Amino acid sequence: MQAPSLYNISSTRFPLPSPPLKSPFKQCKHPGWVPASISFNSTGNNTGAAAPEINNNAATAFWDYQLLFMSQRLETPQPISLSLVDGSLPADFPSGTYYLTGPGQMMDDYGSMVHPLDGHGYLRAFGFDGPRGEVRYSGKYVRTRAQLEEFDPVNGSWRFTHRGPFSVLRAGKMMGNVKVMKNVANTCVLWWGGRLFCLWEGGLPYEIHPRTLHTIGQFDFKVDVEEEDANGVFPVDYVWDIAARLLKPILYGIFKMSPKRILSHYKVDGQRNRLLIMSCNAEDMLLPRSHFTFYEFDPNFKLLQTREFSIPGHLMIHDWAFTNTHYILLGNRVKLDVSGSIRAVSGFSPMISALSVNPKRQTCPIYLLPRFANTESERWRVPVEAPKQLWLLHVANAFENFDDKGNLCIQIHASTCSYQWFNFHKLFGYKWQSGSLDPSQMNARVGEVNLLPHLVQVSINLDAMGNCQNCIVEPLSNKLGRPSDYPAINPKCSGTKSTYIYAAASSGSHPALPHFPYDTIFKLNTVNKSVHAWSAGRRRFVGEPVFVPKEPAEEDDGYILLVEYAVSIQRCYLVILNPKNMGEAEAFVARFEVPKFLTFPFGFHGTWAPTQ
């Protein structure tokens, strides 16, 4: 259900100018082409030169989208001070570091382009020195096993050998390539117990030195808990147990998959000062059952408890929620795709093609899993069926409230999309055949906008016996009226009642890119449903907002950090907003410029680490 193909544009290639500095920054082979249809203004206007006028609006949209994901091969051996180009750094801005991860390298030197989700993890760090009023930037690749194999430090060249779950290699081995689980550590950043980690969907996290960004190595949570030792209740299904035993030597041995696939999205319970992570069994990706394990750690990474649940049904979980007494899963239903599996094994389709969404049922199963043994109940085995088909993307928050009669109300705030729109191997418009990204996949035709990601509120009411009385799904704000994603809240409110959500959306100012990439950050009041927004401007895109709280303060007292991607002039900016003033001119606080030669591609998720 995507927009008409307006972007079938052949590329003309010509050399890029060399980056202006060769030392002390590590030099790698620079990408060898940019679109001939666009000229870049390099007059030195630090606040952002006017975008060049191009008659072909479709061409502009196509190349803006490609530039948003253009690889960055340079690293910073030492942090560099960023130039302040607008506004000023507030005197009360907390000292700390904003970490952002995402793909850094998506095209090698032998003709292969990988999906952004398979791009090598590139960690960006923005260090704030409050007393000096200074922001310093660093960027380095995470030295994963795949990165060390695919990058040649002698000549600075890349050669992709791992397929990754979402990609197809045009060069190198296709048929029989079992290097599928390419842990690129590019999805989320975790700051916990004074230690820094980069996470990926399906493998162990990599620990990073928080100051130098040097990779320390893989970190083992020690989560391989035997089923009989797990503090949970789960049924036994002998048929699928036998199937799992047959799959394990193939997946673990041949395809080198981790037995426990740790999810990249984690949670922090600030009330109990606990880190919550979740894993699922690798073999369950191919079986009509789902085995989930939850772990809770103290700040010293001491494992406090483990809870394990086996759920009938083929589910794909990317993000999840928690409350004071529950883990909450909105089940994304999937199924095995036989024809896709054949294409995937042959090497002519991404491995993720073996799965497809399963839109057979028009409801969404919501599992309310008890966090603690003293709240054990068999009712968790039967999900609450939300009266709408939802594919969960990202969770903003969830919280619960008991009334004086023991009835429980649970609210979940999240971004969801339609099964009709979501497509595993076409996310971000990946087209391995042409080595490009098609922006039409992330946009929609007129009348189909509701298929795209939107913020929703799910309200579940249970009686004192735990029986579901009703479940209501409603849009969080009709006033917004546009697709949105990457929701964030004040992290101090995680798992407890909160009022404000901050998320990314599109203003619609780019006619050929009406819905994605996003160019607007908005503040949503979940009580009165009011919306206040700040927009980056024409041909400037934004990523996920991160909330930096003040101490002590009201819920919306703090600052919002985000990266602004000015693709028309090939620059990135760190932007600071005041959430209390959203919707007003005073919302904008400051903009810092990353040097042009260090411009990096679109980032996924970040975190704030206060100075200890």
Side-chain angles (χ1 to χ4, degrees), residues 281-532:
N281 291 2
E283 63 271 14
D284 289 346
M285 294 180 63
L286 303 175
L287 298 176
R289 73 170 188 186
S290 300
H291 206 94
F292 302 115
T293 311
F294 298 85
Y295 314 87
E296 302 199 14
F297 297 88
D298 72 4
N300 296 315
F301 287 92
K302 178 183 177 181
L303 181 60
L304 300 176
Q305 74 168 35
T306 302
R307 299 281 288 160
E308 193 163 2
F309 304 90
S310 187
I311 296 172
H314 204 172
L315 304 178
M316 175 68 72
I317 304 297
H318 172 63
D319 201 357
W320 52 287
F322 81 99
T323 64
N324 189 47
T325 61
H326 290 89
Y327 308 113
I328 302 176
L329 301 181
L330 275 71
N332 297 330
R333 291 188 172 107
V334 296
K335 61 183 178 180
L336 189 65
D337 189 318
V338 177
S339 61
S341 300
I342 296 174
R343 294 194 304 273
V345 171
S346 68
F348 291 97
S349 183
M351 284 301 295
I352 197 67
S353 301
L355 297 177
S356 62
V357 300
N358 185 0
K360 185 176 180 180
R361 301 185 65 177
Q362 296 303 307
T363 59
C364 173
I366 302 177
Y367 289 90
L368 306 177
L369 309 176
R371 277 183 71 179
F372 306 107
N374 58 1
T375 58
E376 193 63 61
S377 170
E378 295 298 307
R379 288 184 176 84
W380 66 264
R381 301 184 189 279
V382 180
V384 174
E385 292 288 347
K388 185 176 181 180
Q389 194 178 73
L390 304 172
W391 184 277
L392 177 73
L393 296 172
H394 296 109
V395 171
N397 198 19
F399 51 89
E400 62 189 22
N401 179 58
F402 285 92
D403 65 17
D404 54 4
K405 296 182 180 179
N407 300 317
L408 177 63
C409 177
I410 296 176
Q411 281 198 6
I412 307 162
H413 299 153
S415 63
T416 66
C417 67
S418 168
Y419 277 56
Q420 295 174 269
W421 174 78
F422 189 85
N423 187 308
F424 282 114
H425 61 278
K426 290 186 179 180
L427 288 174
F428 296 107
Y430 176 66
K431 298 178 71 174
W432 67 270
Q433 298 91 337
S434 61
S436 65
L437 301 173
D438 181 1
S440 66
Q441 174 63 29
M442 302 297 289
N443 291 273
R445 298 188 184 98
V446 176
E448 297 179 345
V449 177
N450 289 336
L451 303 179
L452 298 177
H454 286 78
L455 296 187
V456 300
Q457 175 176 287
V458 181
S459 302
I460 303 172
N461 292 290
L462 307 175
D463 64 20
M465 300 300 295
N467 300 306
C468 181
Q469 299 302 297
N470 59 59
C471 178
I472 302 172
V473 179
E474 54 188 335
L476 264 175
S477 179
N478 289 320
K479 294 181 181 179
L480 181 62
R482 303 198 65 80
S484 56
D485 197 5
Y486 300 112
I489 62 169
N490 184 330
K492 295 183 178 296
C493 299
S494 185
T496 64
K497 186 174 182 179
S498 58
T499 300
Y500 302 108
I501 296 175
Y502 310 90
S506 173
S507 67
S509 63
H510 203 316
L513 297 172
H515 309 122
F516 186 86
Y518 302 128
D519 61 4
T520 299
I521 299 296
F522 67 88
K523 174 186 180 182
L524 168 67
N525 186 317
T526 61
V527 177
N528 62 26
K529 302 301 188 290
S530 62
V531 175
H532 301 284

